[in-house]
Amino acid sequence: GNSVTQMEGPVTLSEEAFLTINCTYTATGYPSLFWYVQYPGEGLQLLLKATKADDKGSNKGFEATYRKETTSFHLEKGSVQVSDSAVYFCALPYSSASKIIFGSGTRLSIRP
Amino acid sequence: DGGITQSPKYLFRKEGQNVTLSCEQNLNHDAMYWYRQDPGQGLRLIYYSQIVNDFQKGDIAEGYSVSREKKESFPLTVTSAQKNPTAFYLCASSIASPNTGELFFGEGSRLTVL
């Protein structure tokens, strides 16, 4: 069945640094791929998504490209801010598409 | 505003007691989900429901029960059979297929067993 493997954290960066959080997947076919973000004490919210191969999802300065050759969906941001401190989850649907599975999450902390 | 409301936000329970977590949505979504989140771990699916009066077990359903009598509501009961219930519980909803849509989450309920 489908699965997702995510870079372990925590990740600590200085403000304005470049961010990459790795995510690779195993899937039947080409399901949509998602990045969710969880700010402290809150539920998750969708950050961005890509629905087909070579699509690039983007939001709030974050980007991720759906790469079927490397089965990856890495999250990137060119210049992080303190307000980006959160836990980031890569996700994709189960094979049946009736539910979504999440990676283990990567905690990101940004130093001023 | 449309969204998902979970209550209570914090809950304390003595061992051996059942407790019910509320989840209500006004997004007119067909599908609803319960996830459990433990420190340093990802989300694990407890139960999900794609339609009223129907629900399926997720990966860690033992010690939990749910009902889906109304489209808007999907309460989760943590029973005394759940060996380690202290966790952060998240409810979510989506249009019927999550493959084309997104999950909308509530703010979570933190359960602590004393």
Side-chain angles (χ1 to χ4, degrees), chain A residues 46-104:
Chain A
L46 181 67
L47 178 60
L48 54 84
K49 69 178 181 181
T51 57
K52 60 183 187 294
D54 299 324
D55 253 7
K56 177 185 285 188
S58 61
N59 186 26
K60 298 182 180 180
F62 290 89
E63 294 183 338
T65 301
Y66 190 158
R67 301 213 183 274
K68 64 178 182 181
E69 314 82 27
T70 54
T71 62
S72 65
F73 193 54
H74 302 325
L75 182 68
E76 297 181 335
K77 186 173 185 180
S79 176
V80 293
Q81 306 300 313
V82 172
S83 57
D84 294 327
S85 298
V87 183
Y88 293 83
F89 295 89
C90 187
L92 79 164
Y94 276 27
S95 306
S96 64
S98 60
K99 47 192 176 176
I100 284 186
I101 53 174
F102 291 84
S104 56

Side-chain angles (χ1 to χ4, degrees), chain B residues 14-34:
Chain B
K14 293 182 180 179
E15 282 194 24
Q17 288 181 334
N18 292 357
V19 61
T20 297
L21 307 180
S22 170
C23 178
E24 303 280 331
Q25 55 101 356
N26 60 4
L27 299 167
N28 200 33
H29 285 169
D30 287 314
M32 298 187 74
Y33 312 81
W34 274 105

Side-chain angles (χ1 to χ4, degrees), chain A residues 30-43:
Chain A
Y30 301 104
S32 296
L33 301 176
F34 306 90
W35 275 102
Y36 282 80
V37 59
Q38 183 180 32
Y39 298 104
E42 298 182 8

